[in-house]
Amino acid sequence: MLSQALLAAAVGAPVGALLAALVPGWRGRLPWLLPVAPLPALVAALLVAPGTSLELPWLMLGGQWALDDTRRALLAAMALVWCVGGLTALRSPITADRLRHLVLPWLFTLTGNLWLALAQDIGGFYSGFAMMSFGAYALVVCSGSTFARDAGRLYIAFTVLGEMAILAGLLLASRGGAGNTLALVPAAIADSPHVLGITLALLVGFGVKAALLGVHFWLPSTYTVAPAAVRVVLGGAMINAGVLGWLLTLPLGVATLPTLGRNVAIVGLVAAYWGAFRGVRLGDSATVLGWSSISQSGLVTVLVGAALASGEPGFVAVLTLYAVHHGIAKGALFTGSDDTVAMTPAARRWLLLPALALAGAPLTSGAAAKLAMKSELGSTELAWIVPWLSAAAIGTTLLVARVLWCAERLRGEAGVRAFHGALMMAAYREGLSPAEHERESRAIVSRNPPRVGPAWPIALVAVATGVWWIPLSASLDAGLGDVLALGWPIVAGVLLAALGWNRLVPRPTGVVRLQPTAPAPVSASTDARSGTSGGSSLANRDADAESDSVSERYDTVLRRTIPLLLGALLLLVAAALVAARG
Amino acid sequence: MSAASLPAWVLASSLLPAVLIFLLPESRRRTRTTLNLAAAGLKLVLVAAMSWGVVRNAPHEVRFTMWPGAEFILRGDALACLFAGLSALLWLFTTIYAIGYLEGAPNRSRFFGFFSLCVASTMGIALAGNLLTFLLFYELLTLSTYPLVVHRGTEKALAAGRTYLRYTITGGAALLLGIAVLYSFAGDVEFKETGSLRAVAESQWPLLRVAFGLMIAGLGVKAALVPLHGWLPQAMVAPAPVSALLHAVAVVKAGAFGIVRVVYDVYGIEFARELALLVPLTIAASVTIVWGSLRATQQTDLKRRLAFSTVSQVSYIALGVSLFGPLGTIGGLVHLLHQGIMKVTLFYCAGNYAETLGVHDIRELDGAGRRMPLTSAAFTIGAVGMIGVPPLAGFVSKWYLGLGALEAGHPWVLAVLIASSVLNAAYFLPIVHRLWFRNASAPWPDERSFGRFETSLWFLIPTLATAALTVGAGLFAGMPFSPLQWAMLITRREYLP
């Protein structure tokens, strides 16, 4: 009974908040609901008794809510990230300034996200997914800037594409014997004569959200222009909604599709490297993290491919583990890298923690996830991928080092300038005169001075304790070999970053976030957004002044950060060795 | 009144007010309003009572012989209740809307008289129990709508009216011819669940096919099947409540409902399949769906865009009907209701923008969401519902249509549905974007203030009510008496005699 009430409250709380926000005059007083509304879902994920289910026959085509292990883990991670995102939204200038407009779409998107995590019926799951996807558009463009609008157009185009692919896949599966029950979808697909087509449709459809290479084009620009809080939930929670879609609908462990599976795995491998290659040269931490998501999603894709190719059911647990780990760590990185202006140097160094977790350093959730991944992959036909995945961690290390570098670079004067630059981007609209534009962005700052909120410590604690509460299929007592296997790409990455990096890659230009682009072909516009070439007069003014001092500051950064990184790493390795002996 | 005569009373509840309103002097505004609303409310109650008879499986029926061999039959069967219920509900809302819309305008007596007559004809179409009664009311509908289309009396309105008459009278003639062909060897065909032509000798089958073609062509004019749809976009010069009624309930829907009747209750779905009549209809509907959507993307006038959207969406009904199997039937029938409530919402909104802000063109809608949040919220719900985004009404339709296409063995129809959804998104989402995410760049063309609320309450209440129905029909589709459950009830009876 209590468990059922918790299930109902998980979705009921955001719905109630949404209804309250619809009352005229209340909306301005309700922003505190943003971090609170996902909490019942978090409690439900942790406390609901196994086997509890809630029947809602009047809802859609017949609703049923329940939690299994996969959903429980992902729901907990999503709710946590939404809570951290909500806290960020209350404090981060762009969102804090527009909270009145943000409350409704935020709660709407949150409702969709939580509903899909609970729904056992196809109608409810698809409804939640659509609510989340379309609602997030309003979040992406909430600053109202021209840049946000351009990115939003790309976002919505891919969203519609994804929804259609999902619709086709679910219709075929439903007709193939699943009816309205999500749990029957994988088997129905496996038995269908169109098994390849359906699998592909669902892979692509959910892949839009899960940052699958090939349908990822919306992602870098969206992450770049979205306000910090929205990045947190996009990169930490909604990406996992896509992965959950894969886990629940694809015939993982039910069908064996060697050719498709191998090709999917190869796409994933390419994504892992391509994301690192693209991201490592960029100068804006949000964009770098966006490419890192594409790269990390590549690893998830490899697992999905291997699961399809081998028909091993064990991959589901590994995928869950990996998705939860990635969501939490990425959410924390987004939270932390946004806060840097107001942070003390000591507080900033804590960014290392989620960075190391993402890179898979020993004793972090990342290590557990990667070990589980390798051991599962090792027993399949695709074992040859394992060394390639290890090497991909070099890329991950480079990316997170780049993020740390971006954060480190934005200290003092440069940080304040970057802070203003970002706000000016958010305040930019076509037809605004430079003076009006300047006035507007200054007004936003004066209303919302930079300060550190509770989001960052909470996110840090979540990452630090991840090893204990994330459902682990791999044990922590890793051997020396494991520690070495995990450690060498990180060491290599750090060395690479330290040695020849600024000679190998183009010099980044200052604090450019992006530049206005006319609607351009997809690939061109994502290229342009990386900010390697001029465009906006306003962006370039900062950029030109900065570029001379960049390499100088870069050296300073290296001197300070790298020893720290190496030290932390050595410490971790030593600790792992002790743990392994003990 | 005896219970059996309920269908006659349902009809009378709009015929009598029509007569009374014609007799009322123009100045008796209050009396007319009271009469209109009372009649609309009463009809809703009567239709509900009639539906209860269907649930108990004892439909009400009235019949008498007009001349030997030709009967006048009114029957409140499940399908009739579906259409009559939609009409009664939306008539109530549209009457409220029209009262506000015509405040202070001339010729209100004439308008509301024909308005009631139009609804009476629609009720007659819904309740008709045989082809001849159907034909009678079908033609009456043509004649009673014409004065509404040309109500403004402008040159453009008169031209649209002429086009309307040319199309619909030709269509009516084709329908008449089709019925005559059928009459020549099958007599007066009564509507019957699972059809009533099964006994026709095989040698007559070619004639059956000819009659089917003629009838569908005749009905297709009103249902705006491509290439017979030309009158519909022109007719949008009519006043907003007329457009709303035209697109959601009366004319277009009457055509679609006629197709439903012919396929299910004249031929019978299984017999129609044996005659190979369904696939051509599927193709015609598919072409219409895609063509209508394509044309809609090219329009910049809001009402014109909505009109082409109707062309496309109404054909979902014909598509569902033509897909053999219960799932397609459910999809088609439920869309009869869903398209009605969604499209009526959109036309109310278009009217609200035109009346409050003077906005007719989509490009002038920038920032309207801030000025008129409730109307814009309703528009957003209607538009997103039309695209078929869950959990709104349009999704339920599309889900069953998709399943129906697979069941009938036409997976290519899935591609049609998806193409149409993408096009719907392409012409609706930019409007939604303009409403909410752009700032008004110029003052509104012709702004009027209605006091406390964003617009007149006469406009706002119907708009919000139908928007709420759009959400409810999707979100609570599993509840008893939801459109979906009613469509399922009809379907069970069509397939399981």
Side-chain angles (χ1 to χ4, degrees):
Chain A
M1 207 45 224
L2 181 69
S3 288
Q4 284 191 326
L6 273 175
L7 275 186
V11 178
V15 170
L18 192 63
L19 293 179
L22 284 174
V23 178
W26 282 22
R27 201 176 312 162
R29 279 179 257 154
L30 292 177
W32 56 271
L33 280 174
L34 299 193
V36 174
L39 289 181
L42 183 61
V43 176
L46 300 176
L47 296 186
V48 164
T52 309
S53 97
L54 193 60
E55 301 288 338
L56 308 159
W58 44 268
L59 188 66
M60 294 287 299
L61 313 172
Q64 195 196 9
W65 293 354
L67 286 173
D68 54 23
D69 289 347
T70 300
R71 290 166 181 268
R72 192 185 288 274
L74 279 165
L75 179 64
M78 286 170 181
L80 191 64
V81 170
W82 273 99
C83 174
V84 168
L87 288 169
T88 311
L90 294 184
R91 176 200 45 72
S92 188
I94 299 164
T95 40
D97 205 58
R98 304 182 64 82
L99 271 181
R100 264 181 60 80
H101 303 286
L102 194 71
V103 169
L104 278 180
W106 185 280
L107 291 172
F108 184 84
T109 314
L110 169 65
T111 305
N113 197 159
L114 298 180
W115 185 6
L116 79 90
L118 290 183
Q120 303 280 342
D121 55 308
I122 293 180
F125 176 79
Y126 187 41
S127 297
F129 202 85
M131 276 174 78
M132 183 192 77
S133 297
F134 284 98
Y137 172 78
L139 300 182
V140 169
V141 301
C142 86
S143 70
S145 78
T146 307
F147 310 106
R149 201 182 292 165
D150 286 349
R153 193 175 303 140
L154 209 55
Y155 173 82
I156 204 75
F158 274 93
T159 296
V160 170
L161 176 93
E163 293 290 317
M164 291 302 122
I166 296 171
L167 178 69
L170 289 181
L171 272 172
L172 286 163
S174 173
R175 183 64 205 145
N180 191 30
T181 311
L182 203 54
L184 299 179
V185 166
I189 296 176
D191 292 339
S192 164
H194 313 294
V195 54
L196 279 182
I198 305 177
T199 308
L200 210 58
L202 292 172
L203 254 177
V204 169
F206 290 114
V208 170
K209 270 283 160 303
L212 174 70
L213 188 72
V215 285
H216 68 282
F217 299 103
W218 61 274
L219 192 145
S221 57
T222 303
Y223 278 27
T224 309
V225 300
V230 178
R231 276 180 222 142
V232 172
V233 291
L234 269 174
M238 285 188 236
I239 194 169
N240 278 347
V243 176
L244 183 62
W246 280 349
L247 286 173
L248 294 178
T249 58
L250 293 178
L252 306 176
V254 194
T256 312
L257 306 165
T259 317
L260 179 74
R262 201 186 62 231
N263 289 333
V264 168
I266 290 172
V267 168
L269 198 59
V270 171
Y273 284 90
W274 177 244
F277 175 71
R278 290 296 304 274
V280 80
R281 300 179 297 170
L282 304 178
D284 175 74
S285 60
T287 325
V288 177
L289 284 173
W291 281 105
S292 152
S293 285
I294 293 167
S295 167
Q296 292 290 307
S297 183
L299 302 186
V300 173
T301 314
V302 168
L303 287 176
V304 169
L308 288 173
S310 67
E312 287 287 331
F315 277 104
V316 172
V318 183
L319 272 162
T320 310
L321 170 60
Y322 202 89
V324 169
H325 143 73
H326 175 230
I328 299 277
K330 191 53 71 65
L333 273 172
F334 271 125
T335 312
S337 61
D338 175 64
D339 268 343
T340 44
V341 179
M343 277 184 195
T344 61
R348 196 172 309 128
R349 276 189 199 122
W350 283 104
L351 267 175
L352 257 180
L353 182 68
L356 282 173
L358 206 61
L363 285 186
T364 61
S365 57
K370 291 205 168 168
L371 285 179
M373 186 168 163
K374 284 172 187 167
S375 80
E376 193 69 36
L377 270 173
S379 60
T380 66
E381 298 265 298
L382 290 169
W384 58 269
I385 276 186
V386 172
W388 288 98
L389 285 186
S390 296
I394 300 178
T396 309
T397 310
L398 284 174
L399 281 180
V400 293
R402 186 67 166 183
V403 172
L404 295 179
W405 174 78
C406 290
E408 193 63 25
R409 199 167 52 97
L410 300 182
R411 292 191 313 169
E413 190 58 23
V416 174
R417 264 217 308 282
F419 182 75
H420 283 269
L423 282 181
M424 290 194 78
M425 285 297 160
Y428 180 76
R429 277 172 199 83
E430 271 161 51
L432 218 56
S433 78
E436 287 170 323
H437 182 196
E438 181 105 20
R439 201 163 47 242
E440 185 128 322
S441 57
R442 294 218 178 275
I444 299 180
V445 184
S446 66
R447 285 194 295 266
N448 311 282
R451 58 201 159 86
V452 179
W456 176 226
I458 293 180
L460 269 181
V461 171
V463 175
T465 56
V467 214
W468 290 289
W469 68 267
I470 293 176
L472 297 176
S473 58
S475 54
L476 279 175
D477 48 340
L480 181 60
D482 292 331
V483 173
L484 286 179
L486 287 169
W488 77 261
I490 302 181
V491 176
V494 170
L495 289 177
L496 200 58
L499 291 175
W501 172 12
N502 61 338
R503 270 168 238 120
L504 289 174
V505 294
R507 241 175 8 176
T509 52
V511 294
V512 178
R513 290 216 153 205
L514 49 54
Q515 59 210 3
T517 46
V522 167
S523 60
S525 70
T526 44
D527 271 343
R529 276 165 216 286
S530 63
T532 46
S533 59
S536 150
S537 60
L538 128 97
N540 267 358
R541 210 171 46 212
D542 277 344
D544 291 343
E546 190 120 328
S547 58
D548 289 338
S549 60
V550 162
S551 62
E552 189 187 329
R553 190 168 303 126
Y554 178 70
D555 289 340
T556 326
V557 172
L558 281 185
R559 268 204 309 280
R560 287 184 190 163
T561 320
I562 300 304
L564 203 74
L565 257 172
L566 286 173
L569 200 65
L570 283 174
L571 212 67
L572 280 169
V573 172
L577 283 175
V578 173
R581 287 275 164 75
Chain B
M1 84 189 162
S2 82
S5 59
L6 255 180
W9 283 106
V10 170
L11 193 62
S13 67
S14 36
L15 257 184
L16 283 179
V19 175
L20 289 176
I21 288 167
F22 277 128
L23 292 177
L24 270 182
E26 180 71 22
S27 57
R28 301 289 297 279
R29 189 179 66 88
R30 196 176 289 271
T31 320
R32 191 169 47 233
T33 303
T34 317
L35 189 62
N36 261 323
L37 291 178
L42 175 67
K43 182 194 297 300
L44 207 54
V45 175
L46 290 175
V47 171
M50 201 168 68
S51 308
W52 184 242
V54 174
V55 174
R56 289 184 303 129
N57 219 348
H60 304 284
E61 188 182 282
V62 179
R63 66 163 76 209
F64 61 87
T65 309
M66 291 191 284
W67 65 85
E71 282 195 288
F72 180 89
I73 306 175
L74 292 177
R75 186 191 300 132
D77 60 12
L79 195 54
C81 286
L82 181 87
F83 192 37
L86 173 78
S87 309
L89 192 67
L90 296 192
W91 187 40
L92 174 64
F93 291 135
T94 310
T95 304
I96 296 173
Y97 195 93
I99 290 168
Y101 192 87
L102 292 175
E103 200 111 299
N107 299 325
R108 273 180 285 176
S109 199
R110 184 185 77 193
F111 179 88
F112 280 108
F114 280 111
F115 198 68
S116 294
L117 203 58
C118 175
V119 174
S121 324
T122 310
M123 285 295 158
I125 288 172
L127 296 171
N130 61 353
L131 274 175
L132 285 181
T133 315
F134 182 88
L135 181 70
L136 191 72
F137 286 108
Y138 194 78
E139 297 301 337
L140 187 63
L141 180 66
T142 306
L143 300 179
S144 60
T145 334
Y146 173 75
L148 296 177
V149 173
V150 300
H151 180 75
R152 289 208 172 110
T154 59
E155 193 49 49
K156 217 173 148 194
L158 289 170
R162 275 195 299 277
T163 315
Y164 173 69
L165 276 188
R166 212 174 304 135
Y167 270 91
T168 46
I169 288 184
T170 321
L175 180 64
L176 176 65
L177 201 60
I179 293 177
V181 170
L182 216 53
Y183 193 88
S184 67
F185 59 89
D188 181 17
V189 181
E190 202 169 313
F191 296 151
K192 196 169 131 246
E193 278 152 5
T194 70
S196 43
L197 290 178
R198 172 64 79 177
V200 172
E202 197 158 347
S203 61
Q204 307 275 29
W205 282 16
L207 269 181
L208 278 182
R209 292 197 181 100
V210 170
F212 186 85
L214 282 169
M215 286 192 287
I216 295 295
L219 294 164
V221 169
K222 278 212 172 79
L225 280 177
V226 169
L228 310 171
H229 66 289
W231 63 273
L232 184 61
Q234 282 199 40
M236 61 88 205
V237 297
V242 176
S243 296
L245 207 63
L246 223 67
H247 284 258
V249 198
V251 180
V252 183
K253 220 31 103 43
F257 182 75
I259 295 177
V260 175
R261 277 289 195 210
V262 167
V263 172
Y264 288 117
D265 293 346
V266 175
Y267 284 75
I269 182 83
E270 301 193 19
F271 189 49
R273 185 175 66 152
E274 259 174 68
L275 291 171
L277 298 171
L278 294 181
V279 174
L281 189 55
T282 309
I283 293 170
S286 299
V287 169
T288 307
I289 287 170
V290 176
W291 179 251
S293 296
L294 273 175
R295 293 281 290 146
T297 55
Q298 299 163 345
Q299 311 303 323
T300 55
D301 183 287
L302 182 56
K303 277 180 83 180
R304 255 183 97 77
R305 186 173 284 193
L306 293 181
F308 275 107
S309 158
T310 303
V311 171
S312 166
Q313 291 276 342
V314 165
S315 276
Y316 277 34
I317 302 167
L319 178 72
V321 167
S322 72
L323 294 169
F324 179 80
L327 294 171
T329 308
I330 294 173
L333 292 179
V334 82
H335 201 58
L336 195 86
L337 293 187
H338 287 163
Q339 189 271 348
I341 51 177
M342 292 189 289
K343 193 40 80 60
V344 95
T345 309
L346 292 173
F347 269 102
Y348 289 157
C349 291
N352 291 1
Y353 291 130
E355 290 304 299
T356 318
L357 308 175
V359 168
H360 299 273
D361 193 292
I362 287 160
R363 288 164 296 191
E364 296 166 336
L365 278 172
D366 287 7
R370 196 156 297 171
R371 169 65 177 78
M372 301 177 69
L374 294 176
T375 300
S376 301
F379 188 92
T380 306
I381 290 172
V384 174
M386 277 284 178
I387 298 170
V389 175
L392 301 178
F395 165 71
V396 177
S397 310
K398 202 192 295 172
W399 182 254
Y400 277 96
L401 286 174
L403 290 179
L406 295 173
E407 184 182 46
H410 299 308
W412 57 271
V413 171
L414 225 54
V416 171
L417 288 174
I418 285 175
S420 166
S421 304
V422 170
L423 288 170
N424 283 340
Y427 64 76
F428 274 131
L429 289 182
I431 305 180
V432 174
H433 173 83
R434 281 177 188 276
L435 291 177
W436 297 109
F437 301 109
R438 293 210 179 196
N439 293 321
S441 49
W444 306 112
D446 180 18
E447 187 172 358
R448 281 165 67 193
S449 171
F450 288 90
R452 227 184 118 209
F453 296 96
E454 61 186 53
T455 184
S456 162
L457 276 184
W458 291 105
F459 298 159
L460 208 51
I461 290 171
T463 312
L464 294 178
T466 50
L469 285 176
T470 305
V471 177
L475 197 57
F476 305 119
M479 281 203 179
F481 299 105
S482 74
L484 177 65
Q485 302 302 323
W486 196 259
M488 285 176 164
L489 179 130
I490 298 175
T491 307
R492 272 197 297 277
R493 295 187 183 175
E494 292 295 345
Y495 283 85
L496 304 169

